[in-house]
Amino acid sequence: MCWHLGAGPRGLYPAPMHLFSDNATPVCPNVMAAIAAADQADHGYDGDAWSARLDGAFSDLFGTPVRALWVTTGTAANSIALACLCPPYGGIFCHEESHIVVDECGAPGFYTHGATLMALPGEGAKLSPATLVERSKAIRPDVHQVPARAISITQATEYGLVYTPDEVAAIGRVARDRGLGLHMDGARFANAVASLDCHPGDVTWRAGVDILTFGCVKNGGMAGEALLFFGPQADARAAEAARWRKRGGHLLSKGRYLAAQILAMLEDDLWLNNARAANAAATALAQAVPTRLLHPVQANELFIRLSASEAASLRAQGFDFYDWGEGAARLVTNWAQDAASVRPLAEALKALP
Amino acid sequence: MCWHLGAGPRGLYPAPMHLFSDNATPVCPNVMAAIAAADQADHGYDGDAWSARLDGAFSDLFGTPVRALWVTTGTAANSIALACLCPPYGGIFCHEESHIVVDECGAPGFYTHGATLMALPGEGAKLSPATLVERSKAIRPDVHQVPARAISITQATEYGLVYTPDEVAAIGRVARDRGLGLHMDGARFANAVASLDCHPGDVTWRAGVDILTFGCVKNGGMAGEALLFFGPQADARAAEAARWRKRGGHLLSKGRYLAAQILAMLEDDLWLNNARAANAAATALAQAVPTRLLHPVQANELFIRLSASEAASLRAQGFDFYDWGEGAARLVTNWAQDAASVRPLAEALKALP
Amino acid sequence: MCWHLGAGPRGLYPAPMHLFSDNATPVCPNVMAAIAAADQADHGYDGDAWSARLDGAFSDLFGTPVRALWVTTGTAANSIALACLCPPYGGIFCHEESHIVVDECGAPGFYTHGATLMALPGEGAKLSPATLVERSKAIRPDVHQVPARAISITQATEYGLVYTPDEVAAIGRVARDRGLGLHMDGARFANAVASLDCHPGDVTWRAGVDILTFGCVKNGGMAGEALLFFGPQADARAAEAARWRKRGGHLLSKGRYLAAQILAMLEDDLWLNNARAANAAATALAQAVPTRLLHPVQANELFIRLSASEAASLRAQGFDFYDWGEGAARLVTNWAQDAASVRPLAEALKALP
Amino acid sequence: MCWHLGAGPRGLYPAPMHLFSDNATPVCPNVMAAIAAADQADHGYDGDAWSARLDGAFSDLFGTPVRALWVTTGTAANSIALACLCPPYGGIFCHEESHIVVDECGAPGFYTHGATLMALPGEGAKLSPATLVERSKAIRPDVHQVPARAISITQATEYGLVYTPDEVAAIGRVARDRGLGLHMDGARFANAVASLDCHPGDVTWRAGVDILTFGCVKNGGMAGEALLFFGPQADARAAEAARWRKRGGHLLSKGRYLAAQILAMLEDDLWLNNARAANAAATALAQAVPTRLLHPVQANELFIRLSASEAASLRAQGFDFYDWGEGAARLVTNWAQDAASVRPLAEALKALP
């Protein structure tokens, strides 16, 4: 449960160093340059030259044929993905603290026309195959109960944990065995892959993922995530998704500016390099406070024990972040930081009594 | 969680004495007579003489102005009620084992256009004011989170427990204080009122209930429940509900046959007498197996510890019912039974080793 | 456009002879007897013995494997059928005066989650293949425009006209060539088949119809229409429809009373005999006023020129019906009438100056 | 009906001078500069400093309190506006050739959960009060028919015509008298106001408009239209719209880049100056071919008679545009053009034999 609005003392903003969210960061210069380069006349919607390159660029990156659509936001991408996998009377297994459950104001219910989010527990916002199987077995195969039709997992999770390739594959097998579609919310997919140092295919299509929300905005983009479709149903689902994108009002008439941002992310591994920088910053902070960590730090988020007076002390020194309930705080590092740049905060954390 | 289909061994049906569900029972003779009496030409839909009498009949019964609509099923009645109380982006507090959560294939999500059922725990499928308040406070007042807009409680609950007037009133205060609508699923409302021996108003409008699903089918009807609207918004909500009834395909063209059934239920306290008979049967059975009870028996449902071999023994003697997971069984008594008629089963239960 | 509510002077009701609607008629005695015969304990929902016989009974009648579901109303049956044939972003070709367009308060939009009714003109509320092809060609094959996915025709039409087997087959070919599903609203299917004196398969599955709403209520039933699925996708669509039936709140817990009515309709050709009686009554009336007819009389509806004073004169003689705009009237005959029984009205019509 | 995709021969793109659509134009430099200036850290979603200024900026511009929300696209803005004005079972009067009817793949049906677009005819894609009243009167006030709840008009229309303040006010009176909400699709609102040379309030809130889609993208923006709410219900509707914006996936996490674009549009009358340039270009072209015009040219669109060979001749000279059915073409001028810059095309048009 993310207290991202209104929970922390704001004061003068921007703080000298803020760790509210990777959303609050400016746009990465390479992305801004790509936007400027795309500032030409071209056909509207996704009929432009940039949009036409997305399939190829992602197919190259993932080492398999991929169908790629730009979508304005992660919420829209997630919801459209789920609408492609689950009928209105179906259910979607997901974590009870996932973004689709707690932070999208029911958008998945809107796009799926009322499908049920079947919220499950799990340490660190991770789903386990055992939990999925157990819950699945409890559903009667009659018309009175909502049948499960999809699974949605988040990579990295809302608590900054990462599913290994084996872990995703184990969930992929549950999905395959039970005829469920598998969606991955990759708002911080880059951070996860950078952390795992694996091929992006290893935690997606090779592990049974059908649709991936490939996040860009938190990683240095302005607007625009990529919705990626893998496997034999990719074409049919992408065609369906293109309808939802239009019908949801997400088919921007000047789509080339979104496509250009996404392509820029893929060029020269910008997506990974940005994520590595953010991860390195988080690791540096984690090393400063090993005993305060509420979760292992595997990507770019830290959840730490922090009393109200400690939080106040840090804020007095110019560091800002969100409180996380009582006695805890969430710190999110971003692409514009690295281990060196967060050293002052690391020192301040160490210096806490 | 009701294993009402396929869970128990069926064998020859009907069994000499079945306690599967009050749904499986025939229609009460008075209701059948009312249907025959309504078999005349009249205006279609709800333009007939019987439908016109519903408001008055229920206003008399409840001692307050009531707007009443017949609806085909309890699922439709519940869903339409919730659609009147909650916008698509809102949430409805309800018990995690309530019928609307586990047995309606997402119908509330259909009629509300994707509102969220916020499932809460509670002993015996009852909601407590404390749980409601606590969950309510955990929702951030921003657009990212689904705001609660309604509460739905079941009277009697799925485990056959009954909310007292004070208990309903306490929930009614939570609803009023937080601006939430209050719906009562009264599929077994008659059994609850018969059990409480109170005025029907005491557990509804006087306690803050806005909309009541007044069940008839389990209590001897053929088809047709009444959807009742109380309070200053009754007219507006009933007008809205009439739209949903039509749009959902529930405005039967020969509605008089539904209205006649419901009116018959109210005549000479048939609804209460039928419920008293069913309750008495349940009480008689409960007294036979006081140490086996998983829940107090307050209406017409028993949940008892029962091993597989014990269940088999009872079935061999001609008594049938549903298993309730492993080592337990659910027995539902109905309007056509009473303490005397279930004596053979009571004896058989007592005789179990 | 049917002015079925509030348009005509009501006076004392029922009139000595009313022709408001076949909905206003009582239930046919055979159907009432079938309801009484079904008044036994049995499993709930559609787990009973009567419901189990529907597939077989309709397969026999149509001479092909049929999947059959009982549904409460024609509006629900039509809407569920369309939801099985058309995605939310698709369109359904239909007549601009069809029941689904003008008399269901948007129910098809509700069940399909917002599909578009593409209303087309056509004499006597009939669609022509040429109109369908022309409109179809005007749709751009891009994501900006709603793609047609289904056709819905009414048999007999809202003006009492009947599609011949050849006419249905011609529409069926348009559907097949363009990948559209074909639904037939058969609220008065019996009247059409009785009029055509053909095999029911000739105007349905042999002519390309995928789903038929087989009407019973206007033809002597109390509640309950049959939704029939033909062809290779019948099983998949029926399974989908069963979800919508439940989710829409139409899975009555005592479904046996609906199934029994429908089965009674099929026994000894009751459906055809009832329809023949109604048709004969309409024909007799039509023969009395050949020069007043606004449409040919092919089933059980007459639309006639009738001045306000003429209407008043007939009403004064005890005949009632709905006005149809200014200077016209609609007369609907029903199963309880025949040529002989409407003779007084025929005489009165002839006697008009 | 706009053949905006695939209808014209493409060849090398961009053509030396294209008039496909104002969507195909690059972003106006002032807007690009505003995006760069907003490239700072700030709170996410609409919690930033730019978003906070929208209400004030639009209130100043319109001379009345305005609630303003940025929305990603015109389709989303229109749909959200309609969802604020019309319930799912309601209807929206609109022109049969309006963008919401023919070019949004049913998005209004998606956001309104199935409301009916009641498409009406009208010269030049304009609605007349008489047509609205007449169609309104034909709706029976019963639950069987969809009740009208809103009117949507387009300013300038899809054929480049403009409603005068009096014309809007006349429609506003129809809306008020019948309790209908009034929405204006202002994708080209700037072109209309520039053409009328009136105060923007004269064709909106003073004339009865409740919600305005204030277009920016066609007028030089990159992404982002403003949704404006007027009148006593502005606050409540804006709060509702904020829910739909989030739930539809349109609450961009870096919303400041949208807000900054919109604010830039308002600065120093950029919106009007851009529109005046586009209008001047259209007027210059219209003066070159007065006898070919299919509609009066009042904003920035021309619809002209043009044979296939004439079209080919123009394209051979480097001018490109969309065909408009057979024998006609649509030319759309944009903010980056003016009377001088389109002179070569004007000459070429005049020189056609």
Side-chain angles (χ1 to χ4, degrees):
Chain A
M1 196 166 14
C2 166
W3 291 92
H4 52 64
L5 290 181
R10 294 293 170 78
L12 193 62
Y13 191 85
M17 183 178 294
H18 79 82
L19 292 100
F20 289 119
S21 169
D22 25 16
N23 279 339
T25 315
V27 171
C28 169
N30 310 39
V31 170
M32 205 54 115
I35 289 173
D39 194 27
Q40 309 172 19
D42 201 338
H43 283 291
Y45 307 105
D46 62 353
D48 63 278
W50 288 265
S51 299
R53 289 171 46 205
L54 286 180
D55 282 358
F58 278 106
S59 296
D60 289 349
L61 180 64
F62 279 85
T64 189
V66 172
R67 290 296 316 277
L69 294 180
W70 47 256
V71 177
T72 319
T73 66
T75 293
N78 290 341
S79 295
I80 291 173
L82 297 176
C84 291
L85 296 176
C86 185
Y89 55 78
I92 298 151
F93 290 131
C94 52
H95 195 275
E96 62 193 6
E97 299 196 73
S98 63
H99 201 264
I100 60 173
V101 170
V102 295
D103 282 303
E104 302 190 349
C105 197
F110 181 45
Y111 277 86
T112 62
H113 296 294
T116 300
L117 295 181
M118 296 170 153
L120 301 172
E123 189 61 30
K126 284 174 83 168
L127 287 183
S128 77
T131 305
L132 288 165
V133 168
E134 184 192 14
R135 180 70 181 80
S136 192
K137 283 185 178 163
I139 301 173
R140 289 194 318 266
D142 62 35
V143 299
H144 300 263
Q145 294 211 325
V146 172
R149 289 296 177 90
I151 302 171
S152 179
I153 58 175
T154 309
Q155 174 80 311
T157 75
E158 284 70 18
Y159 285 110
L161 298 193
V162 168
Y163 289 92
T164 65
D166 282 354
E167 288 174 331
V168 180
I171 290 175
R173 279 189 297 273
V174 173
R176 191 197 54 203
D177 293 350
R178 298 180 175 270
L180 311 176
L182 180 53
H183 166 250
M184 178 176 278
D185 176 355
R188 294 187 180 98
F189 182 73
N191 303 93
V193 173
S195 171
L196 291 163
D197 200 19
C198 68
H199 188 276
D202 292 346
V203 284
T204 54
W205 64 275
R206 286 195 194 110
V209 170
D210 295 302
I211 310 184
L212 170 67
T213 299
F214 182 94
C216 295
V217 173
K218 290 180 196 296
N219 201 23
M222 180 189 291
E225 316 282 84
L227 194 50
L228 307 185
F229 300 84
F230 306 107
Q233 295 185 62
D235 283 345
R237 285 172 176 157
E240 189 96 346
R243 288 287 179 184
W244 292 120
R245 180 173 65 171
K246 173 64 192 175
R247 192 164 162 88
H250 287 282
L251 185 59
L252 269 66
S253 62
K254 297 182 179 173
R256 55 196 180 278
Y257 296 96
L258 289 198
Q261 292 180 56
I262 294 169
L263 292 170
M265 272 289 165
L266 302 191
E267 210 156 315
D268 297 330
D269 283 345
L270 179 65
W271 68 293
L272 279 177
N273 293 332
N274 277 1
R276 281 178 192 129
N279 287 3
T283 301
L285 293 175
Q287 287 167 347
V289 289
T291 61
R292 289 181 178 270
L293 299 179
L294 295 168
H295 295 285
V297 174
Q298 298 176 346
N300 67 323
E301 293 188 281
L302 288 94
F303 295 83
I304 61 173
R305 260 179 293 275
L306 199 72
S307 71
S309 65
E310 290 167 336
S313 158
L314 290 173
R315 287 187 176 116
Q317 298 172 64
F319 306 107
D320 215 349
F321 45 83
Y322 284 122
D323 293 329
W324 197 259
E326 300 226 344
R330 184 187 79 161
L331 284 68
V332 187
T333 58
N334 64 60
W335 66 270
Q337 299 171 327
D338 59 15
S341 73
V342 297
R343 194 162 307 142
L345 173 54
E347 296 303 326
L349 283 165
K350 272 191 217 168
L352 288 174
Chain B
M1 196 165 17
C2 165
W3 292 91
H4 50 65
L5 290 181
R10 295 291 171 77
L12 193 64
Y13 190 87
M17 182 178 296
H18 79 82
L19 293 101
F20 291 118
S21 171
D22 25 16
N23 279 340
T25 316
V27 172
C28 169
N30 309 39
V31 170
M32 206 54 115
I35 289 172
D39 195 28
Q40 309 173 18
D42 201 337
H43 282 290
Y45 307 106
D46 62 353
D48 62 278
W50 289 264
S51 299
R53 290 171 45 206
L54 286 179
D55 282 357
F58 279 104
S59 296
D60 289 349
L61 180 63
F62 281 83
T64 190
V66 173
R67 291 296 315 277
L69 294 181
W70 47 256
V71 178
T72 320
T73 67
T75 293
N78 290 340
S79 295
I80 291 173
L82 297 176
C84 292
L85 295 177
C86 185
Y89 55 78
I92 299 150
F93 289 132
C94 52
H95 194 276
E96 60 193 7
E97 299 197 70
S98 63
H99 201 265
I100 61 173
V101 170
V102 296
D103 282 303
E104 301 189 351
C105 198
F110 182 46
Y111 278 85
T112 62
H113 296 295
T116 299
L117 296 181
M118 295 170 154
L120 300 172
E123 190 58 30
K126 285 175 81 168
L127 287 183
S128 78
T131 305
L132 289 164
V133 169
E134 183 193 15
R135 180 71 183 79
S136 192
K137 284 184 178 164
I139 301 173
R140 292 194 314 267
D142 62 37
V143 298
H144 300 263
Q145 294 211 325
V146 172
R149 290 296 177 88
I151 301 171
S152 178
I153 59 176
T154 309
Q155 175 79 313
T157 76
E158 283 72 16
Y159 286 110
L161 299 192
V162 168
Y163 288 93
T164 65
D166 282 353
E167 287 173 330
V168 179
I171 290 175
R173 280 189 296 273
V174 174
R176 190 197 55 204
D177 293 350
R178 298 180 174 268
L180 311 176
L182 181 52
H183 165 249
M184 178 175 278
D185 175 356
R188 295 188 179 97
F189 182 73
N191 303 93
V193 173
S195 172
L196 291 163
D197 200 20
C198 68
H199 188 276
D202 292 346
V203 283
T204 54
W205 65 274
R206 286 194 195 111
V209 171
D210 295 300
I211 310 183
L212 170 68
T213 298
F214 182 94
C216 296
V217 174
K218 291 181 197 293
N219 201 23
M222 179 189 294
E225 317 282 83
L227 193 51
L228 308 185
F229 299 84
F230 305 107
Q233 296 184 62
D235 283 344
R237 285 173 176 157
E240 189 96 347
R243 289 287 181 182
W244 292 120
R245 179 172 66 170
K246 173 64 192 175
R247 191 165 163 88
H250 287 282
L251 185 58
L252 269 65
S253 61
K254 297 183 179 172
R256 56 196 178 278
Y257 296 96
L258 289 197
Q261 292 179 56
I262 295 169
L263 292 170
M265 273 289 164
L266 302 191
E267 210 155 316
D268 297 330
D269 283 343
L270 179 64
W271 69 292
L272 279 177
N273 293 332
N274 278 1
R276 282 178 191 131
N279 288 2
T283 301
L285 294 175
Q287 287 165 346
V289 287
T291 62
R292 289 180 178 270
L293 299 180
L294 296 167
H295 295 285
V297 174
Q298 299 176 347
N300 66 324
E301 293 189 281
L302 287 93
F303 295 83
I304 61 173
R305 258 180 294 275
L306 200 71
S307 71
S309 65
E310 291 168 336
S313 158
L314 291 172
R315 288 186 176 117
Q317 297 173 64
F319 306 108
D320 215 349
F321 45 83
Y322 284 124
D323 295 328
W324 197 258
E326 300 224 345
R330 184 186 81 161
L331 285 67
V332 187
T333 58
N334 64 62
W335 67 269
Q337 300 171 327
D338 59 13
S341 73
V342 297
R343 194 163 308 142
L345 173 54
E347 297 302 327
L349 282 166
K350 272 191 217 164
L352 287 174
Chain C
M1 195 166 17
C2 166
W3 291 92
H4 51 64
L5 290 180
R10 294 292 170 76
L12 194 62
Y13 191 87
M17 183 178 296
H18 78 83
L19 292 99
F20 290 119
S21 169
D22 23 18
N23 280 339
T25 315
V27 171
C28 169
N30 309 38
V31 171
M32 205 55 115
I35 289 172
D39 195 28
Q40 309 172 19
D42 201 339
H43 283 290
Y45 307 105
D46 61 354
D48 63 278
W50 290 265
S51 298
R53 289 171 47 207
L54 286 179
D55 281 357
F58 278 105
S59 296
D60 289 349
L61 180 63
F62 280 84
T64 190
V66 173
R67 290 296 317 277
L69 295 181
W70 46 256
V71 178
T72 320
T73 66
T75 292
N78 291 340
S79 294
I80 290 174
L82 297 175
C84 291
L85 296 177
C86 185
Y89 55 79
I92 299 150
F93 291 131
C94 53
H95 195 276
E96 62 193 6
E97 299 196 72
S98 62
H99 201 265
I100 61 173
V101 170
V102 295
D103 282 304
E104 302 189 351
C105 198
F110 181 45
Y111 278 86
T112 62
H113 296 292
T116 300
L117 295 181
M118 296 171 153
L120 300 172
E123 189 60 30
K126 285 174 82 168
L127 287 184
S128 78
T131 305
L132 288 165
V133 168
E134 183 192 15
R135 180 69 183 80
S136 192
K137 284 185 178 164
I139 301 173
R140 288 195 318 266
D142 62 36
V143 298
H144 301 263
Q145 295 211 325
V146 172
R149 289 295 177 90
I151 302 171
S152 179
I153 58 175
T154 309
Q155 173 80 311
T157 76
E158 283 71 15
Y159 286 111
L161 298 194
V162 168
Y163 288 92
T164 65
D166 282 354
E167 287 174 330
V168 179
I171 290 175
R173 279 190 297 274
V174 173
R176 191 196 55 202
D177 293 351
R178 299 180 174 270
L180 311 176
L182 180 53
H183 166 250
M184 178 176 278
D185 175 356
R188 294 187 180 98
F189 181 74
N191 303 93
V193 173
S195 171
L196 291 163
D197 200 19
C198 66
H199 188 275
D202 293 346
V203 283
T204 54
W205 63 276
R206 286 195 194 110
V209 171
D210 295 301
I211 310 183
L212 170 68
T213 299
F214 183 94
C216 295
V217 175
K218 291 181 195 295
N219 201 24
M222 180 190 291
E225 316 283 83
L227 193 50
L228 307 185
F229 299 84
F230 305 107
Q233 295 185 63
D235 283 345
R237 284 172 176 157
E240 189 97 345
R243 288 288 181 182
W244 291 121
R245 179 173 65 173
K246 173 63 193 175
R247 192 164 162 88
H250 287 281
L251 185 59
L252 268 67
S253 62
K254 297 183 180 173
R256 56 195 179 277
Y257 297 96
L258 289 197
Q261 291 180 58
I262 295 169
L263 291 169
M265 272 289 164
L266 303 191
E267 210 155 316
D268 298 330
D269 283 344
L270 179 65
W271 68 293
L272 279 177
N273 293 333
N274 277 2
R276 282 178 191 132
N279 287 2
T283 302
L285 294 176
Q287 287 166 346
V289 288
T291 60
R292 290 181 177 269
L293 300 180
L294 296 167
H295 296 284
V297 173
Q298 299 176 345
N300 67 324
E301 294 188 281
L302 287 94
F303 294 84
I304 60 173
R305 261 179 293 274
L306 199 71
S307 70
S309 66
E310 290 168 335
S313 158
L314 290 173
R315 287 186 177 116
Q317 298 173 63
F319 306 106
D320 216 349
F321 45 82
Y322 284 123
D323 294 328
W324 198 258
E326 300 227 341
R330 183 187 81 161
L331 284 68
V332 186
T333 58
N334 64 60
W335 67 268
Q337 299 172 327
D338 60 15
S341 73
V342 296
R343 195 164 306 144
L345 173 54
E347 297 302 326
L349 282 165
K350 273 191 217 167
L352 288 174
Chain D
M1 196 165 15
C2 166
W3 292 91
H4 50 65
L5 290 180
R10 295 291 170 78
L12 193 64
Y13 191 85
M17 183 177 295
H18 78 83
L19 292 100
F20 290 118
S21 170
D22 24 18
N23 279 339
T25 316
V27 172
C28 169
N30 310 38
V31 171
M32 205 55 116
I35 289 173
D39 195 27
Q40 308 172 20
D42 201 338
H43 282 291
Y45 306 105
D46 62 353
D48 63 277
W50 289 264
S51 299
R53 291 170 45 205
L54 286 179
D55 281 359
F58 279 104
S59 296
D60 289 348
L61 179 64
F62 280 84
T64 190
V66 173
R67 290 297 316 277
L69 294 181
W70 46 256
V71 177
T72 320
T73 66
T75 293
N78 291 339
S79 294
I80 291 173
L82 297 175
C84 291
L85 296 176
C86 185
Y89 55 78
I92 300 151
F93 290 132
C94 53
H95 195 276
E96 62 193 4
E97 299 198 70
S98 63
H99 201 265
I100 61 173
V101 170
V102 295
D103 282 303
E104 302 189 350
C105 198
F110 181 45
Y111 277 86
T112 61
H113 296 294
T116 299
L117 296 180
M118 296 170 152
L120 300 172
E123 189 61 28
K126 285 174 82 168
L127 287 183
S128 76
T131 305
L132 289 165
V133 168
E134 182 193 15
R135 179 71 182 79
S136 192
K137 284 184 178 164
I139 301 172
R140 291 195 315 266
D142 61 35
V143 298
H144 300 264
Q145 294 211 324
V146 172
R149 289 297 176 88
I151 302 171
S152 178
I153 58 175
T154 309
Q155 174 79 312
T157 75
E158 284 71 15
Y159 286 110
L161 299 192
V162 168
Y163 289 92
T164 65
D166 282 355
E167 287 173 331
V168 179
I171 290 175
R173 279 190 296 274
V174 174
R176 191 197 54 204
D177 292 351
R178 297 180 176 270
L180 311 177
L182 181 53
H183 165 249
M184 178 176 279
D185 176 356
R188 295 188 180 96
F189 182 73
N191 303 94
V193 174
S195 172
L196 291 163
D197 201 18
C198 68
H199 188 275
D202 292 346
V203 282
T204 54
W205 64 274
R206 285 194 196 111
V209 170
D210 295 300
I211 310 183
L212 170 67
T213 299
F214 183 93
C216 295
V217 174
K218 291 181 196 293
N219 201 23
M222 180 189 292
E225 317 282 82
L227 194 50
L228 307 185
F229 300 84
F230 306 107
Q233 295 185 62
D235 282 344
R237 285 172 176 157
E240 189 96 348
R243 288 287 180 183
W244 291 120
R245 180 172 66 170
K246 173 65 192 174
R247 192 165 163 86
H250 287 282
L251 186 58
L252 269 64
S253 61
K254 297 183 179 173
R256 56 196 179 278
Y257 296 96
L258 289 198
Q261 293 180 57
I262 295 169
L263 291 170
M265 273 287 164
L266 303 191
E267 209 155 316
D268 297 330
D269 283 345
L270 179 65
W271 68 293
L272 279 177
N273 293 332
N274 277 1
R276 281 176 192 133
N279 287 2
T283 303
L285 294 175
Q287 288 166 347
V289 288
T291 61
R292 289 180 178 269
L293 299 179
L294 295 167
H295 296 285
V297 173
Q298 299 176 345
N300 67 324
E301 293 189 281
L302 288 93
F303 295 82
I304 61 173
R305 259 180 293 275
L306 199 71
S307 71
S309 65
E310 291 168 336
S313 158
L314 290 173
R315 287 186 177 118
Q317 298 172 63
F319 305 108
D320 215 349
F321 44 82
Y322 285 122
D323 295 328
W324 198 259
E326 300 225 344
R330 184 187 81 161
L331 285 66
V332 187
T333 58
N334 64 60
W335 67 270
Q337 301 171 327
D338 59 15
S341 73
V342 297
R343 194 163 309 141
L345 173 54
E347 298 302 325
L349 283 166
K350 273 191 215 164
L352 288 174

